[in-house]
Amino acid sequence: MCVCQTMEVGKYGKNATRSGDRGVLLEPFIHQVGGHSSMMRYDDHTVCKPLITREQRFYESLPPEMKEFTPEYKGVVSVCFEGDSDGYINLVAYPYVENEALEHDDMPERDQPRRKHSRRSLHRSSSGTEHKEEKPGLASDSTESSIQETKSPRVDLHIHSDVPFQMLDGNSGLSSEKISYNPWSLRCHKQQLSRMRSESKDRKLYKFLLLENVVHHFKLPCVLDLKMGTRQHGDDASEEKAARQMKKCEQSTSATLGVRVCGMQVYQLDTGHYLCRNKYYGRGLSIEGFRNALYQYLHNGIELRKDLFEPVLAKLRSLKAVLERQASYRFYSSSLLIIYDGKDSRAGMFVERRPEMRLKRVDSSLPESLQDGSSMEPGSSAQPKVDVRMIDFAHSTFKGFRDDPTVHDGPDMGYVFGLESLINIMEQMREENQ
């Protein structure tokens, strides 16, 4: 039983699911495409993640010109790991009380056991119901490429999306299972609960960061999560971790392009579902493979979304100019989210053009957002809404930050190199598909 269960809901409880009118019941984000820690839905506009002090302080110290390209920082909540009478386990958020909750990095990283705890990727919230999890066990960190059901919690998710998800397997074929949440979200949530359960005898409260849900305004969010830079380990990483991260970079496009795919989901107009990729797919890509992945992200199953090139490129160029002015900043292991809406103004034309899609409309296989015909006038020329956001600052630093002993000169050229590669590839793709 959580020690703070009698507290009132804090100011961020608006549009949140209540737990006995005392706290906010947290739900996994169904649109999480990458990362280690589970991103949780707090309310329609807010997500939360396990607090790492360095990341919190970094958000609090952001230069004003970077705020356009990062989620809004909204504060901190205390999170309880609670069991109910049926044996299920829930995460419930309460107003933060100083010195009661513990953050994820109470020990220096070099003293901690190997445990993935920095998160990447933000997602659209869903009006789901209560999440429950039964008889969790300790997840295995050593088997990184798959979740072993015997070692990870069995989760009964009631949250859902109107649009099903399909994970593309390693052979580029479609998974036979269509589910109502991004499969990476479930993976991260199982591992998060396992870690918390293993510590539950010693820790009753956890500190979670509250951050803006940057895909809330997208009806069918298509999300690309990119690990940026040529180096991923922080200055305080152990020799073992640094070597591990350097090997990952050397064996991927992080070394050749300064960027690699960490996860994605893209809505397909022809089938009415999201196609998903995860970080293991991204690690194995060649330069040409990365180009193909970017092409797939910009393709809606019927045609390449050429209308996205200019708005995305404009955002990337603006971000590059901002980061080139940030002397001494390093964004090790941070990610970049590129987001657009799978429900674009021409969706109605595609639906009417294809006989099989007309059938989908009749049998309601398409979500209501694509059946109602709203905002889909054939002559519409409105520029599509896109967003580009930097996330995950658990290993970031700059001169004078937290008395960090290592001070870097000039801007983060590894990150800038990644942006340049991304811009060049998109410009080439635009020219080839005019």
Side-chain angles (χ1 to χ4, degrees):
M1 181 65 67
C2 177
V3 297
C4 63
Q5 277 190 317
T6 59
M7 296 180 65
E8 295 294 323
V9 177
K11 65 178 180 178
Y12 292 106
K14 184 180 180 182
N15 299 323
T17 303
R18 301 299 202 276
S19 175
D21 291 326
R22 296 182 304 275
V24 175
L25 183 65
L26 301 180
E27 301 171 348
F29 264 92
I30 60 175
H31 293 290
Q32 178 168 0
V33 303
H36 297 311
S37 297
S38 177
M39 291 296 295
M40 307 296 292
R41 175 190 183 276
Y42 186 85
D43 62 31
D44 288 345
H45 302 274
T46 311
V47 298
C48 62
K49 60 181 287 191
L51 184 148
I52 296 171
T53 302
R54 174 175 291 274
E55 182 170 36
Q56 177 194 14
R57 300 304 180 215
F58 195 85
Y59 270 111
E60 293 173 342
S61 307
L62 275 173
E65 61 180 343
M66 278 188 62
K67 291 185 178 181
E68 174 188 350
F69 297 102
T70 58
E72 178 190 357
Y73 168 65
K74 297 188 175 187
V76 180
V77 288
S78 296
V79 173
C80 293
F81 185 75
E82 298 181 356
D84 62 20
S85 58
D86 296 324
Y88 290 93
I89 292 171
N90 302 312
L91 297 183
V92 181
Y94 296 89
Y96 171 63
V97 177
E98 191 71 36
N99 297 326
E100 277 195 354
L102 299 176
E103 55 264 26
H104 224 268
D105 56 351
D106 288 327
M107 293 184 296
E109 181 179 351
R110 61 180 63 90
D111 296 329
Q112 290 186 19
R114 243 185 98 184
R115 186 170 64 205
K116 304 174 197 66
H117 58 266
S118 71
R119 179 233 110 4
R120 145 202 7 29
S121 135
L122 268 9
H123 337 275
R124 174 170 158 254
S125 61
S126 171
S127 55
T129 55
E130 183 172 315
H131 159 81
K132 295 185 176 181
E133 186 247 344
E134 182 176 358
K135 297 181 181 178
L138 182 61
S140 170
D141 279 344
S142 61
T143 307
E144 206 178 17
S145 61
S146 66
I147 294 184
Q148 301 181 26
E149 291 301 325
T150 57
K151 294 185 178 182
S152 59
R154 185 162 62 88
V155 177
D156 180 20
L157 284 180
H158 293 283
I159 59 169
H160 70 280
S161 165
D162 291 335
V163 180
F165 294 76
Q166 283 191 316
M167 176 64 76
L168 292 174
D169 65 23
N171 297 320
S172 297
L174 283 174
S175 164
S176 59
E177 182 184 12
K178 294 183 181 180
I179 52 179
S180 57
Y181 46 84
N182 190 297
W184 195 257
S185 173
L186 178 59
R187 175 195 175 99
C188 291
H189 190 62
K190 285 183 175 181
Q191 293 180 342
Q192 184 71 39
L193 287 176
S194 292
R195 287 194 293 266
M196 294 177 73
R197 179 180 181 273
S198 70
E199 301 167 347
S200 62
K201 292 181 180 179
D202 303 317
R203 299 175 66 172
K204 301 299 182 184
L205 292 174
Y206 296 77
K207 289 165 70 174
F208 274 51
L209 284 180
L210 290 172
L211 299 169
E212 174 191 2
N213 172 17
V214 298
V215 304
H216 172 66
H217 297 293
F218 295 89
K219 294 183 181 298
L220 295 170
C222 298
V223 184
L224 179 63
D225 187 333
L226 299 170
K227 184 75 75 172
M228 301 299 295
T230 53
R231 168 181 161 177
Q232 301 303 323
H233 61 281
D235 291 325
D236 60 345
S238 64
E239 290 185 9
E240 178 191 5
K241 180 169 185 178
R244 198 164 60 243
Q245 295 291 348
M246 286 188 287
K247 185 177 181 180
K248 288 179 185 177
C249 289
E250 290 167 2
Q251 297 177 342
S252 70
T253 55
S254 291
T256 52
L257 295 174
V259 55
R260 72 173 184 257
V261 173
C262 206
M264 76 174 183
Q265 68 178 40
V266 53
Y267 181 73
Q268 302 291 278
L269 274 173
D270 57 341
T271 60
H273 64 241
Y274 291 104
L275 291 185
C276 306
R277 294 285 198 181
N278 63 31
K279 67 179 181 181
Y280 302 110
Y281 162 79
R283 285 182 192 172
L285 294 176
S286 62
I287 293 177
E288 186 60 27
F290 180 88
R291 288 174 52 89
N292 292 338
L294 187 58
Y295 184 94
Q296 183 177 53
Y297 170 67
L298 297 171
H299 201 286
N300 62 17
I302 295 177
E303 71 167 13
L304 185 68
R305 287 286 305 274
K306 300 176 188 178
D307 58 321
L308 296 170
F309 284 128
E310 285 309 318
V312 171
L313 282 168
K315 291 271 189 182
L316 293 175
R317 293 183 189 118
S318 295
L319 174 60
K320 178 174 173 286
V322 167
L323 295 189
E324 286 175 334
R325 295 192 289 269
Q326 308 308 313
S328 83
Y329 278 76
R330 295 295 181 272
F331 307 101
Y332 299 134
S333 197
S334 72
S335 288
L336 187 70
L337 297 181
I338 300 177
I339 311 160
Y340 71 88
D341 205 325
K343 181 188 182 229
D344 79 293
S345 60
R346 301 160 303 158
M349 291 189 294
F350 293 139
V351 169
E352 294 300 332
R353 185 187 307 163
R354 296 171 62 90
E356 63 270 35
M357 294 302 285
R358 289 201 295 270
L359 290 175
K360 285 180 182 292
R361 291 188 66 175
V362 172
D363 66 14
S364 299
S365 294
L366 281 177
E368 291 182 7
S369 55
L370 285 184
Q371 294 184 42
D372 59 16
S374 61
S375 304
M376 298 180 193
E377 293 303 320
S380 175
S381 60
Q383 192 173 68
K385 178 177 175 58
V386 303
D387 209 349
V388 171
R389 302 288 187 108
M390 299 174 68
I391 58 170
D392 291 344
F393 302 112
H395 302 286
S396 296
T397 185
F398 58 89
K399 184 178 181 180
F401 182 58
R402 293 172 61 85
D403 297 321
D404 287 349
T406 304
V407 177
H408 301 273
D409 295 325
D412 188 338
M413 295 310 298
Y415 200 115
V416 171
F417 172 54
L419 287 174
E420 290 173 342
S421 297
L422 196 54
I423 290 169
N424 289 337
I425 290 172
M426 287 197 69
E427 288 178 340
Q428 292 169 8
M429 197 177 297
R430 179 191 58 188
E431 296 302 316
E432 292 168 0
N433 292 278
Q434 282 185 340

